[in-house]
Amino acid sequence: MLTAEENEMLTRSGRGTPGGEFFRRFWLPVALSRELPAPDCPPVRVKVMGEDLLAFRDTTGRVGLVEPRCPHRGADLYYGRNEECGIRCVYHGWKFDAEGKCLEIPNAPPESKYKERVRIVAYPTREYGEMVWAYLGPADAMPELPELEVGLVGAEHRFVSKKLQQCNWAQSMEGALDTAHFSFLHMPAPETFESINPHAPVDEKRFRWVRDDPMPKFEIVEHDAGFVMGAARKADGDELYWRTTQFMLPSHSTTPSTLPGETYFGYTWVPVDDVSCWIYTSAWNPERPLDAAERAKLAAGHGVMSVVGPDYVPLRNRGNEYLLDRDDQKHRTFTGVQGVAEQDAMIHDSQGFIADRTREFLTATDAGVVRFRKTMLAGMRAVQQGTNPPSARNGGAYRLRSGSWIADRKFGFADIMMQRFGDPHGRVHS
Amino acid sequence: MLTAEENEMLTRSGRGTPGGEFFRRFWLPVALSRELPAPDCPPVRVKVMGEDLLAFRDTTGRVGLVEPRCPHRGADLYYGRNEECGIRCVYHGWKFDAEGKCLEIPNAPPESKYKERVRIVAYPTREYGEMVWAYLGPADAMPELPELEVGLVGAEHRFVSKKLQQCNWAQSMEGALDTAHFSFLHMPAPETFESINPHAPVDEKRFRWVRDDPMPKFEIVEHDAGFVMGAARKADGDELYWRTTQFMLPSHSTTPSTLPGETYFGYTWVPVDDVSCWIYTSAWNPERPLDAAERAKLAAGHGVMSVVGPDYVPLRNRGNEYLLDRDDQKHRTFTGVQGVAEQDAMIHDSQGFIADRTREFLTATDAGVVRFRKTMLAGMRAVQQGTNPPSARNGGAYRLRSGSWIADRKFGFADIMMQRFGDPHGRVHS
Amino acid sequence: MLTAEENEMLTRSGRGTPGGEFFRRFWLPVALSRELPAPDCPPVRVKVMGEDLLAFRDTTGRVGLVEPRCPHRGADLYYGRNEECGIRCVYHGWKFDAEGKCLEIPNAPPESKYKERVRIVAYPTREYGEMVWAYLGPADAMPELPELEVGLVGAEHRFVSKKLQQCNWAQSMEGALDTAHFSFLHMPAPETFESINPHAPVDEKRFRWVRDDPMPKFEIVEHDAGFVMGAARKADGDELYWRTTQFMLPSHSTTPSTLPGETYFGYTWVPVDDVSCWIYTSAWNPERPLDAAERAKLAAGHGVMSVVGPDYVPLRNRGNEYLLDRDDQKHRTFTGVQGVAEQDAMIHDSQGFIADRTREFLTATDAGVVRFRKTMLAGMRAVQQGTNPPSARNGGAYRLRSGSWIADRKFGFADIMMQRFGDPHGRVHS
């Protein structure tokens, strides 16, 4: 449970808010690279943390992320022409490059100094892991790109997408750090409890262990990028089924189900405003390329990927109650909503546009949620007091994995991390 | 005409407002029984006087009306599972019964005291007249169910429905207490004035008397549930055509056209919020069952019943200007809008989302409207001062009828009531 | 650039605001005459400067423009019956004439004085140039109708329409006074720059001169109705291509392209509210009637006329991004939006619902825009101080034309006006 002030701090991302300033100390994905498929392609509107921006890929392939207002009389550069290394306003032809520099003012005399005085806001961008990343913070606090593993593997080893979530980012992120909910939200209906949920992304044994133990024991270990969390459920015999999850500041996580050799999954939450966010979703397999069938399945919506339209808005969404089917809910799935990603989206949206954390009854399985809030609020307060987040300056600290492991109950979380990842924090040594 | 303060008092129904507290001293219908057709059927969202609630029929058939927020982390119980005598949150399986008691917390240890501490708000409910009634007021002021006649007759004698009205409840209720408007709103166009409006729910003589006397004389007699009102129009020869109407606190009325042997009709207004309301509409014939043809006609929309979609929203509504047909208005009906219920809805909506009663020019035919306001404001002020409405504690006082009577002009309203109903207030003696 | 206060003053039109009071010293078009095609036809809703009104053409053909609220209990007279020289409320039959006088109160006794006491607000109207004009200001400041040339020519010589603009009126008006933008907004894409934009309403030479000189020299001369403005571009040899534009208070303009013998075009902006306006658009040829083909072209949307639906809302609009086609933008037109009127609408909307004039970098080609603001603000301040605009009392001052002329560079703007129009201000002498 948080105070009203803490809840505000955790959930607001506008410029000047403590949360907004904290987020603005990190690189964040603002588009998929494929949304800007070629040099001089159409620009795309980008809204991030309440800022209306315009992204365009210039003739050289560089991505500009700029304030879309022409300084002359305020026309919207979105309607502009992306041509010859700049975006040109169609009203009077003023032109700006990806760094916001004014290149041409055709309706001012050549001797005018306007070109030097006129700039538009432009944020630095990078491309990594098929995502366009931007940094919206102060120039003197420029961080490193987080070296998420999805960007380390070759393109043939990964699939990246995004989906719109129609609520505040933080409650959706909390859902990923609360792996106890797998025992309910993603299960079949009790009457078919013995069968396997066809949508469950795990095999029969793991499914059964998750189903049968709704109260996993949580362990948390902090590291340079955030923390790694283990949740142990009873498995068969004397064994425990461990599911581990990474939280990386400010808003990345990786998922808990992956056994060695299987595909890894990750999420990054980026506020559009305080009542909606993009969730960038990644799948990667460091050991082998993803084949065409796997890609097709992920592109069609599977696991962390929602079924989305061409605008990346989930087809099952707040506006249509996720196509909730009460007959399916009664007889087949626990929720009546198809898709693990959609089940998550539904329950997160249902907490309200901004979850009210001043009225809660938390339990031991909310350990990850509690630690997340504490970590975020501490980081926000530090920035308020002038200390930038050390993790932002340490891109290498983000080379992390999480996943599953089955081991005798005599082993502790530290043993599990070593057995599963060869590293106490799940660090990729490559 | 009211002051701005009085208009606010009359029209606001939120918790804590004088009007809202007054309404919260009565049982009110919050759903049709058939919206919850069977044990463990899907729950339905209910919004009443600004409160977002959830209604569900449990395994025993009992209806719960609860706050839909799971106390754990605020997920919406609407997406929950209605099963085994309770509604279960699909996030972590917390379960609550129809009285708001917590039955299970699967992710808390068995020894936890949470189950005892955690409750959700639940309001008492009853079923009567095929409607689910709820009481949203203080437990120590619990009233009696109003014994409206529609609930006294057998199911085969009645038909009950509801319709959404897209404006404040009070101006719509006023329309029912202003029976002078029948001389206009529900008439044919003047050029066909000699013919019968095919939508008028009365025979030729009554139609003619209403048409020809736009200024009926009103008489009002107060009784334990509110008041009964008579409006006398010139009939043939020395006779008067009396139409009587019941107003019962806080928001019930019965209609004026019924002659002995004919079907009775009633309305109950229930605020959704301050700019929309449900109108529960009833037809009943105490002397004979309603046959299939009558039921079909009522279900399709006739008289007090609007033509509605499966969501009970009128198909002719504010959003489509009631399918106003100007050619029909010029040549056939007075309004160009089909349906008596729809004509009423149109004119009430047209007064604004909340009618401004500070600018009015009332006439003698507004006598019922004026008495209604006075009665309501007095009741609201009494509750403010700690006196609960006596009528709410006297369910039997609601066994009332109204209707038509034709009699020599020498008889006064008191005679008419005795001749027509055998009782000065229209009380049903059965 | 304006201060925030000046920008407010320029753009607000509600009753009591400086801008609203200024506008309320002039006759303004509020409907096309053909929207009220016949006596006793259906009334139409009219919203002008934030006031919700009702226009109806009575049995004698006179147009009433009234407050649509029945004084009895506030029902909306829009749903009323337009019959026998008045609009009748369908609730209780109260009836009002085009001057707002109450004609009948059927539910009040004949001896009642109500009819004398009850009035509805009614504004004086006129019809001129196939438009219904109204005056919403104080009776003692009643101005003259502006004698725009479109109303002087015979009906067969003109075509009049209107279109909705989804932003504040002033920035859209500014677009008409900023003729420098023709060198960009209405051009073909650079790669087809040598070809002619099929949508450009001018011939090859004029097109080329406009394309090749993006920085015309502006001259402005004030007159009794506002000002006339010339913009000179380099033509062939030693000649200049002059394009002149009229600005007439408070919100009329005429277009710059017309050569002698060609058709003239004009605009009048009328605020609906502060974020949308109607643009009344006129075409007229004083020398010859417009033939069927020309009328068909204008009715289908050409030049200043948008392609509109039956409600006069442009089919390409803010809600569908003007059907922007990026392929067309890259290879064929400068904007990718079809239609000169639509290109204008797009860029004006894109400045925001109300353009922020506190952040601008104006150039010499914004001379007309700057003068417009100065003229308007001066007029608004004068009305604030009790001085009504002299132009409003001088309808004859609006008999003005504008258009193109090609002449040797030795001639100044005064010479050009005399050569082209035989008058220093473009006055029509007829």
Side-chain angles (χ1 to χ4, degrees), chain A residues 171 174-175 178 180-181 184-185 189-190 214-215 321-322 324 326 329-330 333-335 346-348 350-352 355-356 359-366 369 373, chain B residues 39-43 45 67 69-83 88-94 105-110 114 117-119:
Chain A
Q171 68 213 51
E174 287 177 352
D178 155 30
H181 78 262
F184 300 93
L185 191 68
M215 211 177 352
E321 294 192 347
Y322 320 91
L324 171 62
R326 293 287 185 183
Q329 183 186 46
K330 190 158 283 284
T333 65
F334 203 73
T335 55
M346 174 270 280
I347 207 74
H348 303 161
S350 93
Q351 293 172 285
D356 180 1
R359 298 172 57 203
E360 289 184 323
F361 285 88
L362 300 181
T363 77
T365 68
D366 295 310
V369 169
R373 297 175 185 179
Chain B
D40 293 337
C41 65
R45 286 191 171 114
E67 177 191 30
R69 185 184 182 282
C70 179
H72 175 214
R73 294 222 313 270
D76 187 348
L77 296 174
Y78 169 76
Y79 291 105
R81 302 178 58 81
N82 182 14
E83 59 185 19
R88 186 188 291 282
C89 180
V90 290
Y91 206 175
H92 300 87
W94 294 31
I105 300 190
N107 66 334
Y114 256 28
R117 289 172 50 201
V118 167
R119 285 194 69 86

Side-chain angles (χ1 to χ4, degrees), chain B residues 171-187 210-211 213-216 218 229 231 233 243 245 255-256 267 269 334-335 340-341 343-345 347-348 351 363 365-366 369, chain C residues 72-73 89-93 107:
Chain B
Q171 68 212 53
S172 181
M173 167 113 239
E174 287 177 351
L177 303 176
D178 155 29
T179 57
H181 79 263
F182 281 70
S183 302
F184 299 93
L185 192 68
H186 307 310
M187 287 291 117
V210 168
R211 180 194 71 192
D213 186 352
M215 212 177 351
F218 282 78
M229 194 172 80
R233 281 181 170 87
R243 291 157 56 83
T245 306
T255 66
Y267 299 102
W269 281 261
F334 203 73
T335 55
V340 167
Q343 291 158 3
D344 281 331
I347 207 75
H348 304 161
Q351 294 172 284
T363 77
T365 68
D366 295 309
V369 169
Chain C
H72 176 213
R73 295 222 314 269
C89 181
V90 291
Y91 207 175
H92 299 87
N107 67 333

Side-chain angles (χ1 to χ4, degrees), chain A residues 152-172:
Chain A
L152 298 178
V153 300
E156 67 282 8
H157 288 257
R158 71 179 168 234
F159 180 84
V160 179
S161 188
K162 69 176 186 178
K163 59 187 180 189
L164 187 72
Q165 176 78 28
Q166 296 169 307
C167 67
N168 184 262
W169 75 277
Q171 68 213 51
S172 181

